[in-house]
């Protein structure tokens, strides 16, 4: 694009709330070279622009960093979770907050699993311990016989105080950088948790990295795996967009494979093989396979047989397995669809599979905790070479350490109150209430979807999502094209505009009414 | 390197504690191709290796991910802060913990500013508010007239409770993902803080991004700026190694410029100009200038005149200014060496400088807080285009949000107790004690260094470091070469081996004794 040419760059997908789409100089790189003079044409100043923004636009030089000069992998990355729909929802929220009258009086964001934002209560024991560890002035009086000690013991159960003292001793100050790989004793507890979960399969704390949420760990692994633009990674469709976004940012190639909707979103080795062979024939060096189990956003739990097939496939095709297992405790039909960890299945397959490279990701953000804001998580390496582990340790060190609060929540997640502890009854009551509510909503949502005209929906075995298929009438698709929108976005924006997607109790009714009106409006004669 | 050839890859620099340097297959990429068979020679198994590691080495296939196939930018990144010296120190620490007798009975890690690990106490008000916001079961009884309410009000001052209630209302649950750019009201408080710091220069919350420590923000900006391998960024020498490591990881070019040691580590525009012109003549597209003020590790505070020259230089050379100002409150001689923010100086230079792109980084990890473990920080954009800001918002969204505890600590940092608040006297007492101790140690350390044979050391105006120059005898340099070590590493390892670098009270004496012995041993006849 030429000198001084002004083009409208719609940034709607990624505008922060309240910021109008930007009009932006588009100058090819050499025009921002220091030794050239540039006299771009003026641009109309927009009232929503901040003083500094206005300064740029009124100034007589374009900025050094523009959509032309920015890293194109950043520019090209898409992240729909915070896309147009979420932006519009946030704007509605602000308008409601400002007292404006809308067809609804509340907005519920369903763009990401963020349970506590939707009113899910945190688990008391976890928060009590976390607060105590964070506050030395409280811990200091834990054993005092004076009124402050009595006050503390009135507010905190004995097992909370004991756990907080133990953690404070192990962690030191929550204000210190920890070991880059995570506090050693927390990694030991994670290893014990994994080993117990997997029926005694050993786990080594040296192979565990605490991370800032699971996504941080995913990025660390992809950063090592993507050694050049020819390297590809198999990702499921439908997927959680972190994977496509991270691959674009790192200049790697997403190699999509389809999930088998009519077979409960299972994975077909035939399809996987076809995808990897086709990609390799096109010169893609396919190095890894991403599996999300339980599925996000598809909600399936893979069967043990299916997992065994997938591991064999990965071994035969020489692929690293990246197992996203953050929903491992959101499993609603354990009797016929239990969760099987990839590690347990892998280690049950005998020594000839010992060299399969598996990394498993977990998080404090899901489960019944829903502690997203602390950015707690970990990954476990199985079968990776020590030299590669050292490289991951170096990467972790460059970020210094994950949030110590996140690490503490990981410790609590893998080591909750036990039968007999003072806090156990409340813990059990809170966790089962959350679990049952999640399961009930998954069931209700599916049952509502399957009743709707043109909609099919698989049962969610786990996770926090259902993934209905909605067959839109030709007229709706035409209207979407008219509006320059993808048909699914068109439907969702209409749903948001007319209902605000309100709290679950009213959600299903509103969805039913909206969908009926929408289909009537667009149904093919 | 050929088929099955085994080479020793010393990973000493980045081994996690207790892990022996790995011996590692080195196979060129096509030998890990899925359709080839590989029969590498066996490798001796090491007792320090974990079961999974042994599995890899005993297995009949090399792993997919090796030092040959890993992203070479990851492999090439150096991060001395967690390098050989830190690794050896951590090992000594473990041996002392295991009860082993060594020439010292304690290790103090000085490899990074981590004050609370060295015994600095957190500020009571900040921790009390943080704990209360984190614990709904406590906040719930804040206004209760029952015994629990009384107990809470006995343990927490009234202004702590009031602030916690205010923050809880603004933040919502600490367990929710926040707005990707950070909680809006926290960004408003940061904007107010900046504006007050800079004598009324306006700051806009839309231009502020809360981050997971300052380094997270630095990586976000570099990720946008480094659009290809020809792009370079000016970094100071000596520097904080985050910059060189991040540039290597992102495949950008570090363009070093020297700091002027004999002129108090100031920046010379002549040197800067020489560096940028030379780099451009070699085909480097220099896009940005990193300035660390107060200096890390050099401790200088740049004068207002020097900052003005630097801004003019950046404008004339069309460079983005990345101002690392995380030590802005660690300033020990405010009367003759006050801190001047780049933003304030820039905005004082008139409209013809409005289009200079400046990003300023701040953190909760330094100052008198030293709250490293919460990973709190922010950056402010000045003069960037709205479209580029939208790209940064998208990048922030892919990481979901920074730790909410970090965001809360940022809010407390920019909005501490004020004269008249119940908590103010204790806050003032704690913060001035920490400040005075930091200043006193900076002075003592300099005065000790300047007395040592062959050592010169500039006064530290601020930050947490002094940067002595040690002229080693030829014999010492020869001995270092013999040992295959850089002379400075050789000296530091010897210092660690003989003293353990103990607590500050004894540190200076031990250093003096060690240095004298070392020089006697190696002094040129």
């Amino acid at each position: 694009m030429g000198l001084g040419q002004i083009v409208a760059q719609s940034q709607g997908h990624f505008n922060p709330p309240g910021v109008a789409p930007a009009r932006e100089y588009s100058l090819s790189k050499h025009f921002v070279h220091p030794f050239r003079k540039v006299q771009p044409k003026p641009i109309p100043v927009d009232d929503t622009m901040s003083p500094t923004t206005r300064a740029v636009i009124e100034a007589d030089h374009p900025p050094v960093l523009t959509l032309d000069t920015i890293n194109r992998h950043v520019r090209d990355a898409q992240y729909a979770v915070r896309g147009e729909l979420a932006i519009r929802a946030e704007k509605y929220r602000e308008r409601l907050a400002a007292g404006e009258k809308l067809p609804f009086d509340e907005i519920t964001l369903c763009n990401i699993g963020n349970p506590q934002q939707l009113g899910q209560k945190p688990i008391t024991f976890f928060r009590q311990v976390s607060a105590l560890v964070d506050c030395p002035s409280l811990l200091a009086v834990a054993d005092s016989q004076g009124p402050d000690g009595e006050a503390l013991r009135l507010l905190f159960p004995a097992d909370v105080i004991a756990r907080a003292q133990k953690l404070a001793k192990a962690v030191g100050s929550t204000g210190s950088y920890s070991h880059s790989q995570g506090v050693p004793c927390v990694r030991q507890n994670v290893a014990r948790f994994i080993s117990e979960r997997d029926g005694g399969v050993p786990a080594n704390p040296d192979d565990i990295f605490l991370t800032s949420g699971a996504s941080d760990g995913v990025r660390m692994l992809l950063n090592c795996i993507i050694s050049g633009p020819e390297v590809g990674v198999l990702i499921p469709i439908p997927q959680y967009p972190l994977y496509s976004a991270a691959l674009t940012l790192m200049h790697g190639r997403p190699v999509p494979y389809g999930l088998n909707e009519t077979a409960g979103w299972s994975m077909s080795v035939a399809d996987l093989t076809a995808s990897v062979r086709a990609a390799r024939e096109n010169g893609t060096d396919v190095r890894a396979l991403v599996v999300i189990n339980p599925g996000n956003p598809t909600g399936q739990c893979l069967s043990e047989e299916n997992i065994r097939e997938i591991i064999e496939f990965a071994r035969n095709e020489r692929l690293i397995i990246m197992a996203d297992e953050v929903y491992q405790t959101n499993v609603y039909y354990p009797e016929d669809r239990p969760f099987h960890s990839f590690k347990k299945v892998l280690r049950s397959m005998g020594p000839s599979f010992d060299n399969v490279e598996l990394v498993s990701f977990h998080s404090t953000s899901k489960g019944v905790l829903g502690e997203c804001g602390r950015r707690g998580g970990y990954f476990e390496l199985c079968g990776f070479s020590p030299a590669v582990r050292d490289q991951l340790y170096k990467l972790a060190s460059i970020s210094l350490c994950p949030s110590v609060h996140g690490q503490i929540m990981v410790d609590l997640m893998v080591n909750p109150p036990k039968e007999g502890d003072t806090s156990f009854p409340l813990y059990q009551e809170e966790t089962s209430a959350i679990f049952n509510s999640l399961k009930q909503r998954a069931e209700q949502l599916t049952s509502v979807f399957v009743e709707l005209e043109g909609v099919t929906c698989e049962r969610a075995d786990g996770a926090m999502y259902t993934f209905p298929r909605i067959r839109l009438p030709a007229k709706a698709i035409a209207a979407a094209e008219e509006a320059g929108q993808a048909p699914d976005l068109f439907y969702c924006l209409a749903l948001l505009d007319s209902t605000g997607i309100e709290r679950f109790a009213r959600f299903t009714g509103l969805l039913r009414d909206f969908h009926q009106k929408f289909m009537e409006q667009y149904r093919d004669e």
Side-chain angles (χ1 to χ4, degrees), chain A residues 254-265:
Chain A
V255 180
Y257 67 87
L259 296 173
N260 199 337
E261 179 174 7
T262 53
W265 297 111

Side-chain angles (χ1 to χ4, degrees), chain A residues 138-399:
Chain A
L138 289 182
L139 268 186
V141 303
D143 305 318
S144 133
Q145 292 315 309
D148 47 8
E150 280 165 24
L152 187 79
R153 291 187 292 274
L154 179 71
L155 293 170
F156 295 95
D159 59 342
V160 165
I161 295 172
R163 174 68 71 88
Q165 287 173 318
K166 200 173 157 204
L167 261 170
K169 196 161 174 299
V171 170
S173 172
T174 55
S176 304
Y177 294 120
S178 73
H179 186 292
S180 302
Q181 202 172 332
V183 174
C185 91
V186 176
R187 285 187 281 124
Q188 284 157 20
N189 291 335
V190 170
R192 191 177 307 114
F193 158 82
I194 292 171
S195 184
E196 282 167 13
R197 180 199 67 190
D198 292 343
V201 175
N204 185 321
D206 294 344
D207 297 327
I208 288 154
F209 286 68
L210 300 185
T211 54
S212 173
S215 26
D216 181 36
V218 168
R219 277 190 300 271
M220 283 171 69
L221 266 293
L222 289 178
N223 201 356
C224 291
I225 293 168
I226 307 301
S227 56
E230 74 290 352
V231 174
V233 173
L234 283 156
I235 62 172
I237 301 298
Q239 59 133 4
Y240 171 52
L242 164 69
Y243 296 97
S244 47
L247 283 166
T248 308
L249 278 176
M250 294 172 190
H251 200 178
R253 295 186 194 172
V255 180
Y257 67 87
L259 296 173
N260 199 337
E261 179 174 7
T262 53
W265 297 111
S266 61
M267 289 169 63
S268 143
V269 167
D271 296 354
L272 285 166
T273 309
S275 298
V276 73
R277 295 293 166 99
R280 283 175 171 154
E281 272 149 32
N282 299 331
T284 300
D285 178 6
V286 187
R287 292 260 185 96
L289 164 67
V290 170
V291 181
I292 311 178
N293 180 50
N296 176 0
T298 42
Q300 80 282 16
C301 285
L302 297 175
S303 71
E304 189 171 358
E305 298 64 26
N306 201 183
I307 293 173
R308 192 174 282 110
E309 293 172 336
I310 293 160
I311 293 171
E312 269 168 18
F313 160 78
R315 179 188 190 240
N316 299 341
E317 298 290 347
R318 313 278 305 129
L319 296 170
I320 296 161
I321 300 171
M322 297 176 67
D324 178 338
E325 298 179 322
V326 300
Y327 289 101
Q328 58 188 267
T329 58
N330 298 99
V331 174
Y332 303 129
Y333 308 99
E335 52 297 331
D336 66 309
R337 274 278 178 239
F339 167 76
H340 301 280
S341 79
F342 267 75
K343 168 135 181 245
K344 182 180 184 179
V345 177
L346 173 63
R347 290 289 171 249
S348 75
M349 292 170 76
S352 65
F353 285 85
D354 279 348
N355 65 325
V356 171
E357 290 148 277
L358 165 68
V359 53
S360 166
F361 302 92
H362 198 12
S363 164
T364 64
S365 303
K366 312 304 173 191
V368 291
L369 295 79
E371 293 283 5
C372 307
R374 329 176 93 72
R375 319 303 295 112
Y378 72 79
F379 63 81
E380 183 193 18
L381 298 174
C382 306
F384 282 79
S385 92
V388 167
R389 184 181 53 192
D390 298 342
Q391 294 295 311
L392 284 160
Y393 176 72
K394 176 178 66 176
L395 264 188
S397 299
I398 295 173
S399 303

Side-chain angles (χ1 to χ4, degrees), chain A residues 114-131 364-374 409 412 417 423 425-435 438 441 464:
Chain A
N114 194 6
Q116 295 192 19
Q117 189 183 47
L118 305 186
Q120 180 177 306
K121 294 269 159 297
I123 290 158
T124 305
F125 177 83
F126 293 168
R127 292 299 192 89
Q128 286 176 324
V129 173
S130 175
T364 64
S365 303
K366 312 304 173 191
V368 291
L369 295 79
E371 293 283 5
C372 307
R374 329 176 93 72
M409 189 53 66
L412 292 164
S423 299
L426 178 60
Y427 170 77
Q428 197 175 33
E429 180 191 325
E430 291 174 330
T431 49
S432 41
I434 294 168
F435 180 86
L438 289 167
R441 282 180 282 168
M464 295 181 179

